[in-house]
Amino acid sequence: SSELTQDPAVSVALGQTVRITCQGDSLRTYYASWYQQKPGQAPVLVIYGKDNRPSGIPDRFSGSSSGNTASLTITGAQAEDEADYYCNSRDTSGNHPVVFGGGTKLTVL
Amino acid sequence: QLHLQESGPGLVKPSETLSLTCTVSGGSISSSSYYWGWIRQPPGKGLECIGTIYYSGSTYYNPSLKSRVTISVDTSKNQFSLKLSSVTVADTAVYYCARRSRSQNSAYFDYWGQGTLVTVSS
């Protein structure tokens, strides 16, 4: 399959922990990567590989995976974490190497 | 610090060809460790990978766009380009160029351009 499925919207209380999920057959083989996108801005990579954060990404962001589901966890969500989050991975179908999820809008209450 | 910058017309007429160039600075496009890609985002919608290219010229295209897409690379100018033919209003989007790692177990884009809005309209 060439699809990654995300919940359209998730909310979290300020300071609490939230998990954003991404489901797809390709995740049984490949790691998901996660991107944060704020309005009017380009996406920013926040998690890649097994659980790696690029320089400058706070350690409250972490990644995990089980079976066909990858998760992005924000531990102690901050107001500035309110954004759209996208997952992506390699594609197992052989037709195209990259597939993106539909995105999750995170609201921090 | 790597920097990517998209350039090209912001308005294209239906049935014409959309052409964009991404200029890479602060690093070499000829690195063996990366692919270079185009991703687009229609207004209010999600991300779609159009395709990627390796410095050697090897390309991968999204099957849904493959018949209309050409991605090329000019290593002498440290640039890569996108051409999308026979555009319709559905091709209106912000177009991003980005660098993708050649990791075997993932497909992450670690550097992105700021994006450029291309509107298809007569």
Side-chain angles (χ1 to χ4, degrees), chain B residues 57-107:
Chain B
S58 175
T59 54
Y60 294 96
Y61 296 144
N62 187 321
S64 69
L65 298 168
K66 187 174 182 178
S67 63
R68 300 193 290 129
V69 172
T70 302
I71 298 176
S72 58
V73 63
D74 186 336
T75 55
S76 66
K77 295 182 179 179
N78 229 33
Q79 295 176 334
F80 62 106
S81 298
L82 168 70
K83 291 188 184 300
L84 181 65
S85 64
S86 305
V87 298
T88 70
V89 294
D91 295 310
T92 294
V94 175
Y95 286 76
Y96 297 99
C97 59
R99 185 181 82 171
R100 180 202 149 183
S101 174
R102 282 191 75 207
S103 169
Q104 289 299 308
N105 57 16
S106 62

Side-chain angles (χ1 to χ4, degrees), chain A residues 34-91:
Chain A
W34 292 92
Y35 306 84
Q36 177 192 70
Q37 186 180 36
K38 296 181 179 179
Q41 298 183 17
V44 173
L45 179 69
V46 296
I47 292 289
Y48 67 97
K50 188 174 183 180
D51 179 22
N52 300 302
R53 285 176 288 105
S55 175
I57 301 302
D59 61 5
R60 63 179 179 272
F61 290 89
S62 63
S64 62
S65 185
S66 179
N68 73 336
T69 301
S71 300
L72 171 70
T73 300
I74 307 174
T75 303
Q78 302 300 302
E80 60 263 33
D81 299 333
E82 184 163 295
D84 293 326
Y85 290 85
Y86 293 91
C87 61
N88 90 312
S89 82
R90 286 187 60 169
D91 177 22

